[in-house]
Coordinates of all heavy atoms in Angstrom, one line a residue:
M1 N 12.2 3.1 15.7 CA 10.9 2.8 15.3 C 10.4 3.9 14.4 O 9.7 3.6 13.4 CB 10.0 2.7 16.6 CG 8.6 2.3 16.3 SD 7.6 1.8 17.7 CE 7.8 3.1 18.8
F2 N 10.6 5.2 14.6 CA 10.1 6.2 13.8 C 10.8 6.2 12.4 O 10.0 6.4 11.4 CB 10.4 7.6 14.5 CG 9.7 8.7 13.7 CD1 8.4 8.9 13.6 CD2 10.5 9.6 13.1 CE1 7.8 9.9 12.9 CE2 10.0 10.7 12.4 CZ 8.6 10.8 12.3
P3 N 12.1 6.0 12.2 CA 12.6 5.9 10.9 C 12.1 4.7 10.1 O 11.9 4.8 8.9 CB 14.1 5.6 11.1 CG 14.4 6.2 12.5 CD 13.2 6.0 13.3
V4 N 11.7 3.6 10.7 CA 11.0 2.5 10.0 C 9.7 2.9 9.5 O 9.3 2.6 8.4 CB 10.9 1.3 11.0 CG1 10.1 0.2 10.3 CG2 12.3 0.8 11.4
L5 N 8.9 3.7 10.3 CA 7.6 4.2 9.8 C 7.8 5.1 8.6 O 7.0 5.0 7.6 CB 6.9 4.9 11.0 CG 5.6 5.5 10.6 CD1 4.6 4.4 10.3 CD2 5.0 6.3 11.8
I6 N 8.8 6.0 8.7 CA 9.0 7.0 7.5 C 9.5 6.2 6.3 O 9.0 6.4 5.2 CB 10.1 8.0 7.9 CG1 9.6 8.9 9.1 CG2 10.5 8.9 6.7 CD1 8.3 9.6 8.8
G7 N 10.3 5.2 6.5 CA 10.7 4.3 5.4 C 9.6 3.6 4.8 O 9.5 3.4 3.5
T8 N 8.7 3.1 5.6 CA 7.5 2.4 5.1 C 6.6 3.3 4.3 O 6.2 2.9 3.2 CB 6.7 1.8 6.3 OG1 7.5 1.0 7.1 CG2 5.4 1.1 5.9
V9 N 6.4 4.5 4.7 CA 5.6 5.5 3.9 C 6.3 5.8 2.6 O 5.6 5.8 1.5 CB 5.4 6.7 4.7 CG1 4.8 7.8 3.9 CG2 4.5 6.4 5.9
V10 N 7.6 6.0 2.6 CA 8.3 6.3 1.4 C 8.3 5.1 0.4 O 8.0 5.3 -0.8 CB 9.8 6.7 1.7 CG1 10.6 6.7 0.4 CG2 9.8 8.0 2.4
I11 N 8.5 3.9 0.9 CA 8.5 2.7 0.0 C 7.1 2.5 -0.6 O 6.9 2.3 -1.8 CB 8.9 1.5 0.7 CG1 10.4 1.6 1.0 CG2 8.6 0.2 0.0 CD1 11.0 0.5 1.9
A12 N 6.0 2.7 0.2 CA 4.7 2.6 -0.2 C 4.3 3.6 -1.3 O 3.7 3.3 -2.3 CB 3.7 2.7 0.9
G13 N 4.8 4.8 -1.1 CA 4.6 5.9 -2.1 C 5.2 5.6 -3.4 O 4.7 5.8 -4.5
I14 N 6.4 5.0 -3.3 CA 7.2 4.7 -4.6 C 6.4 3.5 -5.3 O 6.3 3.5 -6.5 CB 8.6 4.3 -4.2 CG1 9.4 5.5 -3.8 CG2 9.3 3.6 -5.4 CD1 10.8 5.3 -3.2
V15 N 6.0 2.6 -4.5 CA 5.2 1.4 -5.1 C 3.9 1.9 -5.8 O 3.6 1.5 -6.9 CB 4.9 0.3 -4.1 CG1 3.9 -0.7 -4.6 CG2 6.2 -0.3 -3.7
G16 N 3.2 2.8 -5.1 CA 2.0 3.4 -5.7 C 2.3 4.2 -7.0 O 1.5 4.1 -8.0
Y17 N 3.3 5.0 -7.0 CA 3.7 5.8 -8.2 C 4.1 4.8 -9.3 O 3.7 5.0 -10.4 CB 4.8 6.7 -7.8 CG 5.2 7.6 -9.0 CD1 4.5 8.7 -9.4 CD2 6.4 7.3 -9.7 CE1 4.9 9.4 -10.5 CE2 6.8 8.0 -10.8 CZ 6.0 9.1 -11.2 OH 6.4 9.9 -12.2
A18 N 4.9 3.9 -9.0 CA 5.4 3.0 -10.0 C 4.3 2.1 -10.6 O 4.3 1.8 -11.8 CB 6.5 2.1 -9.5
S19 N 3.4 1.7 -9.8 CA 2.3 0.9 -10.3 C 1.4 1.7 -11.2 O 0.9 1.1 -12.2 CB 1.4 0.3 -9.1 OG 0.8 1.3 -8.5
E20 N 1.2 2.9 -11.0 CA 0.4 3.8 -11.8 C 1.1 4.1 -13.1 O 0.5 4.1 -14.2 CB 0.0 5.1 -11.1 CG -1.0 5.9 -11.8 CD -2.3 5.1 -11.9 OE1 -2.7 4.4 -11.0 OE2 -3.0 5.3 -12.9
R21 N 2.4 4.3 -13.1 CA 3.2 4.7 -14.3 C 3.4 3.5 -15.2 O 3.5 3.6 -16.4 CB 4.6 5.2 -13.9 CG 4.5 6.6 -13.1 CD 3.8 7.6 -13.9 NE 4.7 8.1 -15.0 CZ 4.4 9.0 -15.9 NH1 3.2 9.5 -15.8 NH2 5.2 9.3 -16.8
T22 N 3.4 2.3 -14.6 CA 3.6 1.1 -15.5 C 2.3 0.6 -16.0 O 2.3 -0.3 -16.9 CB 4.3 0.0 -14.7 OG1 3.5 -0.4 -13.5 CG2 5.7 0.4 -14.2
G23 N 1.2 1.1 -15.6 CA -0.1 0.6 -16.1 C -0.7 -0.5 -15.3 O -1.7 -1.1 -15.7
F24 N -0.1 -0.9 -14.1 CA -0.7 -1.9 -13.3 C -2.1 -1.6 -12.8 O -2.9 -2.4 -12.6 CB 0.3 -2.2 -12.1 CG -0.1 -3.3 -11.2 CD1 -0.2 -4.7 -11.7 CD2 -0.5 -3.1 -9.9 CE1 -0.6 -5.7 -10.8 CE2 -0.9 -4.1 -9.1 CZ -0.9 -5.4 -9.5
T25 N -2.2 -0.3 -12.4 CA -3.5 0.2 -12.0 C -3.9 1.4 -12.9 O -3.1 2.0 -13.5 CB -3.5 0.7 -10.5 OG1 -2.5 1.7 -10.4 CG2 -3.2 -0.5 -9.6
R26 N -5.2 1.8 -12.8 CA -5.7 3.0 -13.5 C -6.5 3.8 -12.5 O -7.6 4.3 -12.9 CB -6.5 2.6 -14.7 CG -5.7 1.9 -15.8 CD -6.5 1.6 -17.0 NE -7.8 0.8 -16.6 CZ -7.9 -0.5 -16.7 NH1 -6.9 -1.2 -17.0 NH2 -9.0 -1.1 -16.3
N27 N -6.0 4.1 -11.4 CA -6.7 4.9 -10.3 C -6.4 6.3 -10.4 O -7.1 7.1 -9.9 CB -6.4 4.3 -8.9 CG -6.7 2.9 -8.8 OD1 -7.7 2.5 -9.3 ND2 -5.9 2.1 -8.1
G28 N -5.2 6.7 -10.8 CA -4.6 8.0 -10.7 C -3.4 7.9 -9.7 O -3.4 7.0 -8.8
I29 N -2.5 8.7 -9.9 CA -1.2 8.6 -9.2 C -1.5 8.9 -7.7 O -1.0 8.1 -6.8 CB -0.2 9.6 -9.7 CG1 0.2 9.2 -11.1 CG2 1.1 9.7 -8.8 CD1 1.2 10.1 -11.8
L30 N -2.2 10.0 -7.3 CA -2.4 10.3 -5.9 C -3.2 9.2 -5.2 O -2.9 8.8 -4.1 CB -3.1 11.6 -5.8 CG -3.3 12.2 -4.4 CD1 -1.9 12.3 -3.7 CD2 -4.0 13.5 -4.4
Q31 N -4.3 8.7 -5.9 CA -5.1 7.7 -5.3 C -4.4 6.4 -5.1 O -4.5 5.8 -4.0 CB -6.3 7.4 -6.2 CG -7.3 8.6 -6.3 CD -6.9 9.6 -7.3 OE1 -5.9 9.6 -7.9 NE2 -7.8 10.5 -7.5
S32 N -3.5 6.0 -6.0 CA -2.7 4.8 -5.9 C -1.7 4.9 -4.7 O -1.5 4.0 -3.9 CB -2.0 4.4 -7.1 OG -2.9 4.0 -8.1
M33 N -1.1 6.1 -4.6 CA -0.2 6.3 -3.5 C -0.9 6.3 -2.1 O -0.4 5.7 -1.2 CB 0.5 7.7 -3.7 CG 1.5 7.6 -4.8 SD 2.3 9.2 -5.2 CE 3.3 9.4 -3.8
I34 N -2.1 6.9 -2.1 CA -2.9 6.8 -0.8 C -3.3 5.4 -0.4 O -3.2 5.0 0.7 CB -4.1 7.8 -0.9 CG1 -3.7 9.2 -1.0 CG2 -5.1 7.5 0.2 CD1 -4.8 10.2 -1.3
I35 N -3.7 4.6 -1.4 CA -4.1 3.2 -1.2 C -2.9 2.5 -0.7 O -2.9 1.7 0.3 CB -4.6 2.6 -2.4 CG1 -6.0 3.2 -2.8 CG2 -4.8 1.1 -2.3 CD1 -6.5 2.8 -4.1
C36 N -1.7 2.6 -1.3 CA -0.5 1.9 -0.9 C 0.0 2.3 0.5 O 0.4 1.5 1.3 CB 0.6 2.2 -1.9 SG 0.5 1.3 -3.4
I37 N -0.1 3.6 0.8 CA 0.3 4.1 2.1 C -0.6 3.5 3.2 O -0.2 3.1 4.3 CB 0.4 5.6 2.2 CG1 1.6 6.1 1.3 CG2 0.6 6.1 3.6 CD1 1.7 7.5 1.1
G38 N -1.9 3.5 2.9 CA -2.8 2.9 3.9 C -2.6 1.4 4.2 O -2.6 1.0 5.3
G39 N -2.3 0.7 3.1 CA -2.0 -0.7 3.3 C -0.7 -0.9 4.0 O -0.5 -1.8 4.9
A40 N 0.3 -0.1 3.8 CA 1.6 -0.2 4.5 C 1.5 0.2 5.9 O 2.1 -0.5 6.8 CB 2.6 0.7 3.8
F41 N 0.6 1.2 6.3 CA 0.4 1.5 7.7 C -0.2 0.3 8.4 O 0.1 0.0 9.5 CB -0.5 2.7 7.8 CG 0.2 4.0 7.9 CD1 -0.3 5.1 7.2 CD2 1.3 4.2 8.6 CE1 0.3 6.3 7.2 CE2 1.9 5.4 8.7 CZ 1.4 6.5 8.0
L42 N -1.2 -0.3 7.7 CA -1.9 -1.5 8.4 C -0.8 -2.6 8.6 O -0.8 -3.1 9.7 CB -3.0 -2.0 7.4 CG -3.7 -3.2 7.9 CD1 -4.5 -2.9 9.2 CD2 -4.7 -3.7 6.9
A43 N 0.0 -2.9 7.7 CA 1.0 -3.9 7.9 C 2.0 -3.5 8.9 O 2.5 -4.4 9.7 CB 1.7 -4.2 6.6
Y44 N 2.4 -2.2 9.0 CA 3.4 -1.8 10.0 C 2.8 -2.0 11.4 O 3.5 -2.5 12.3 CB 3.7 -0.3 9.7 CG 4.6 0.3 10.8 CD1 5.9 0.0 10.9 CD2 4.0 1.1 11.8 CE1 6.7 0.6 11.9 CE2 4.8 1.7 12.7 CZ 6.2 1.4 12.8 OH 6.9 1.9 13.8
F45 N 1.5 -1.6 11.6 CA 1.0 -1.7 12.9 C 0.7 -3.1 13.3 O 0.7 -3.5 14.5 CB -0.3 -0.8 13.0 CG 0.1 0.7 13.1 CD1 -0.3 1.6 12.1 CD2 0.9 1.2 14.1 CE1 0.0 2.9 12.2 CE2 1.3 2.5 14.2 CZ 0.8 3.4 13.2
L46 N 0.3 -4.0 12.3 CA 0.2 -5.4 12.6 C 1.5 -6.0 13.1 O 1.5 -6.8 14.0 CB -0.3 -6.1 11.4 CG -1.8 -6.0 11.1 CD1 -2.2 -6.7 9.8 CD2 -2.6 -6.7 12.2
R47 N 2.6 -5.6 12.4 CA 3.9 -6.1 12.8 C 4.3 -5.6 14.2 O 4.8 -6.3 15.0 CB 4.9 -5.7 11.8 CG 6.3 -5.8 12.3 CD 7.1 -6.7 11.4 NE 8.5 -6.8 12.0 CZ 9.3 -7.6 11.4 NH1 9.0 -8.3 10.4 NH2 10.5 -7.7 12.0
L48 N 4.0 -4.3 14.5 CA 4.3 -3.7 15.7 C 3.5 -4.3 16.9 O 4.1 -4.6 17.9 CB 4.0 -2.2 15.7 CG 4.5 -1.3 16.8 CD1 6.1 -1.3 16.8 CD2 4.0 0.1 16.6
M49 N 2.2 -4.6 16.7 CA 1.4 -5.1 17.8 C 1.4 -6.6 17.9 O 1.5 -7.1 19.1 CB -0.1 -4.6 17.5 CG -0.3 -3.2 17.7 SD -2.0 -2.7 17.7 CE -2.4 -3.0 16.0
F50 N 1.4 -7.3 16.8 CA 1.3 -8.8 16.9 C 2.5 -9.5 16.4 O 2.5 -10.8 16.5 CB 0.0 -9.2 16.1 CG -1.2 -8.6 16.6 CD1 -1.9 -7.7 15.8 CD2 -1.7 -8.8 17.9 CE1 -3.1 -7.1 16.2 CE2 -2.9 -8.2 18.3 CZ -3.5 -7.3 17.5
G51 N 3.4 -8.9 15.7 CA 4.6 -9.6 15.2 C 4.3 -10.3 13.9 O 5.1 -11.2 13.5
I52 N 3.2 -10.0 13.3 CA 2.8 -10.7 12.0 C 3.5 -9.9 10.9 O 3.4 -8.7 10.7 CB 1.3 -10.7 11.8 CG1 0.6 -11.4 13.0 CG2 0.9 -11.2 10.5 CD1 -0.9 -11.2 13.0
G53 N 4.2 -10.7 10.0 CA 4.8 -10.1 8.8 C 6.0 -10.9 8.3 O 6.3 -12.0 8.8
F54 N 6.6 -10.3 7.3 CA 7.8 -10.9 6.8 C 9.0 -10.5 7.6 O 8.9 -9.8 8.6 CB 8.0 -10.5 5.3 CG 6.8 -11.0 4.4 CD1 6.0 -10.0 3.9 CD2 6.6 -12.3 4.2 CE1 4.9 -10.4 3.1 CE2 5.6 -12.7 3.4 CZ 4.7 -11.8 2.8
G55 N 10.2 -10.9 7.2 CA 11.4 -10.6 7.9 C 11.8 -9.1 8.0 O 12.1 -8.6 9.1
S56 N 11.7 -8.4 6.9 CA 12.2 -7.0 6.9 C 11.0 -6.1 6.8 O 10.0 -6.4 6.1 CB 13.2 -6.8 5.8 OG 12.6 -6.9 4.5
P57 N 11.1 -4.9 7.3 CA 10.0 -3.9 7.2 C 9.8 -3.4 5.7 O 8.7 -3.1 5.3 CB 10.5 -2.7 8.1 CG 11.5 -3.3 9.0 CD 12.1 -4.4 8.3
G58 N 10.9 -3.4 5.0 CA 10.8 -3.0 3.6 C 10.0 -4.0 2.7 O 9.2 -3.6 1.9
L59 N 10.2 -5.3 3.0 CA 9.4 -6.3 2.3 C 8.0 -6.3 2.7 O 7.1 -6.5 1.9 CB 10.0 -7.7 2.6 CG 9.5 -8.9 1.8 CD1 9.7 -8.6 0.3 CD2 10.2 -10.1 2.2
N60 N 7.7 -6.0 4.0 CA 6.3 -5.8 4.5 C 5.7 -4.7 3.8 O 4.5 -4.8 3.4 CB 6.3 -5.5 6.0 CG 6.5 -6.7 6.8 OD1 6.4 -7.9 6.3 ND2 6.9 -6.5 8.1
A61 N 6.4 -3.5 3.6 CA 5.8 -2.4 2.9 C 5.5 -2.7 1.5 O 4.4 -2.3 1.0 CB 6.8 -1.2 3.0
I62 N 6.4 -3.4 0.8 CA 6.1 -3.7 -0.6 C 5.0 -4.7 -0.8 O 4.1 -4.4 -1.6 CB 7.4 -4.2 -1.3 CG1 8.5 -3.2 -1.4 CG2 7.1 -4.8 -2.7 CD1 9.9 -3.7 -1.7
A63 N 5.0 -5.7 0.0 CA 3.9 -6.7 -0.1 C 2.5 -6.2 0.3 O 1.5 -6.4 -0.4 CB 4.2 -7.9 0.8
S64 N 2.5 -5.4 1.3 CA 1.2 -4.8 1.7 C 0.7 -3.8 0.8 O -0.5 -3.6 0.5 CB 1.3 -4.2 3.1 OG 2.2 -3.2 3.2
S65 N 1.6 -3.0 0.1 CA 1.2 -2.0 -0.8 C 0.6 -2.7 -2.1 O -0.4 -2.2 -2.6 CB 2.4 -1.1 -1.2 OG 2.9 -0.4 -0.2
I66 N 1.2 -3.7 -2.6 CA 0.7 -4.4 -3.7 C -0.6 -5.1 -3.4 O -1.5 -5.1 -4.2 CB 1.8 -5.4 -4.3 CG1 3.0 -4.6 -4.8 CG2 1.2 -6.3 -5.3 CD1 4.1 -5.5 -5.2
G67 N -0.7 -5.7 -2.2 CA -1.9 -6.3 -1.8 C -3.1 -5.3 -1.7 O -4.2 -5.6 -2.1
A68 N -2.8 -4.1 -1.2 CA -3.8 -3.1 -1.1 C -4.3 -2.6 -2.4 O -5.5 -2.4 -2.7 CB -3.3 -1.9 -0.2
L69 N -3.3 -2.5 -3.4 CA -3.7 -2.1 -4.7 C -4.6 -3.1 -5.4 O -5.4 -2.8 -6.2 CB -2.4 -1.9 -5.6 CG -1.7 -0.5 -5.4 CD1 -0.5 -0.5 -6.2 CD2 -2.7 0.6 -5.8
I70 N -4.3 -4.4 -5.1 CA -5.2 -5.4 -5.7 C -6.5 -5.5 -5.1 O -7.5 -5.6 -5.8 CB -4.4 -6.8 -5.6 CG1 -3.2 -6.8 -6.5 CG2 -5.4 -8.0 -5.9 CD1 -2.3 -8.0 -6.3
I71 N -6.6 -5.4 -3.8 CA -7.9 -5.6 -3.1 C -8.8 -4.3 -3.2 O -10.0 -4.4 -3.5 CB -7.6 -5.9 -1.6 CG1 -7.0 -7.3 -1.5 CG2 -8.9 -5.8 -0.8 CD1 -6.5 -7.6 -0.1
V72 N -8.3 -3.1 -2.8 CA -9.2 -2.0 -2.7 C -9.9 -1.6 -4.0 O -11.1 -1.4 -4.0 CB -8.4 -0.8 -2.1 CG1 -9.2 0.5 -2.1 CG2 -8.0 -1.2 -0.6
P73 N -9.2 -1.3 -5.1 CA -9.9 -0.8 -6.3 C -10.9 -1.8 -6.8 O -11.9 -1.4 -7.3 CB -8.8 -0.6 -7.3 CG -7.5 -0.4 -6.5 CD -7.7 -1.3 -5.3
T74 N -10.6 -3.1 -6.8 CA -11.5 -4.1 -7.4 C -12.7 -4.2 -6.4 O -13.8 -4.6 -6.9 CB -10.8 -5.4 -7.6 OG1 -10.3 -5.9 -6.3 CG2 -9.7 -5.3 -8.6
H75 N -12.6 -4.0 -5.2 CA -13.7 -4.1 -4.2 C -14.7 -2.9 -4.4 O -15.9 -3.1 -4.3 CB -13.2 -4.2 -2.8 CG -14.3 -4.3 -1.8 ND1 -15.0 -5.4 -1.6 CD2 -14.8 -3.4 -0.9 CE1 -15.9 -5.2 -0.7 NE2 -15.8 -4.0 -0.2
W76 N -14.2 -1.7 -4.6 CA -15.0 -0.5 -4.6 C -15.4 -0.1 -6.0 O -16.2 0.8 -6.2 CB -14.3 0.6 -3.9 CG -14.1 0.3 -2.5 CD1 -13.0 0.0 -1.8 CD2 -15.2 0.3 -1.5 NE1 -13.2 -0.2 -0.5 CE2 -14.6 0.0 -0.2 CE3 -16.5 0.5 -1.5 CZ2 -15.3 -0.1 0.9 CZ3 -17.2 0.4 -0.3 CH2 -16.6 0.1 0.9
R77 N -14.8 -0.7 -7.0 CA -15.1 -0.3 -8.4 C -16.5 -0.8 -8.8 O -16.9 -2.0 -8.5 CB -14.1 -0.8 -9.4 CG -14.2 -0.3 -10.8 CD -13.1 -0.7 -11.6 NE -11.9 -0.1 -11.1 CZ -10.7 -0.6 -11.3 NH1 -10.5 -1.7 -12.0 NH2 -9.6 0.0 -10.9
R78 N -17.3 0.0 -9.4 CA -18.6 -0.4 -9.9 C -18.6 -1.2 -11.1 O -17.7 -1.0 -12.0 CB -19.5 0.8 -10.1 CG -19.8 1.6 -8.9 CD -20.8 2.7 -9.3 NE -21.0 3.5 -8.0 CZ -21.8 4.5 -8.0 NH1 -22.3 5.0 -9.1 NH2 -22.0 5.2 -6.9
R79 N -19.4 -2.2 -11.2 CA -19.5 -3.0 -12.4 C -20.3 -2.4 -13.4 O -21.3 -1.7 -13.2 CB -20.1 -4.4 -12.0 CG -19.5 -5.0 -10.9 CD -18.7 -6.3 -11.3 NE -18.2 -6.9 -10.2 CZ -16.9 -7.2 -10.1 NH1 -16.1 -6.9 -11.0 NH2 -16.5 -7.9 -9.0
K80 N -19.9 -2.5 -14.7 CA -20.6 -1.9 -15.8 C -21.6 -2.9 -16.5 O -21.4 -4.0 -16.5 CB -19.7 -1.3 -16.8 CG -18.9 -0.2 -16.3 CD -18.0 0.4 -17.4 CE -17.3 1.6 -16.9 NZ -16.5 2.3 -17.9

């Protein structure tokens, strides 16, 4: 269980870094990584408690990280 949690954090960090470097987001590298790790933690604990998720933990981490990047910045960003 603990190696899955560490792998989830690592995958989420990589997704956050890659999304910032490719121009998918414009939050900053550290901010994108924090958003991705938060989304991955949420998906990990949902899977652990309720069994909700995809087949593999890696796919859960990738999908939840991308979902968090899409939802969080657009929700909190001020309109000009």
Side-chain angles (χ1 to χ4, degrees):
M1 184 165 52
F2 186 70
V4 173
L5 180 63
I6 296 300
T8 299
V9 170
V10 169
I11 290 172
I14 291 170
V15 169
Y17 180 78
S19 68
E20 192 62 38
R21 296 301 286 177
T22 58
F24 182 68
T25 59
R26 294 183 307 266
N27 301 321
I29 294 173
L30 184 61
Q31 291 86 351
S32 291
M33 289 174 71
I34 290 171
I35 291 168
C36 285
I37 290 171
F41 270 138
L42 179 64
Y44 174 76
F45 288 119
L46 281 175
R47 166 121 181 174
L48 190 66
M49 290 188 290
F50 303 113
I52 300 170
F54 299 110
S56 68
L59 190 58
N60 283 342
I62 293 170
S64 63
S65 296
I66 292 172
L69 280 175
I70 291 171
I71 292 171
V72 171
T74 57
H75 179 73
W76 295 107
R77 189 173 294 155
R78 292 184 181 178
R79 306 249 184 235
K80 291 184 178 183

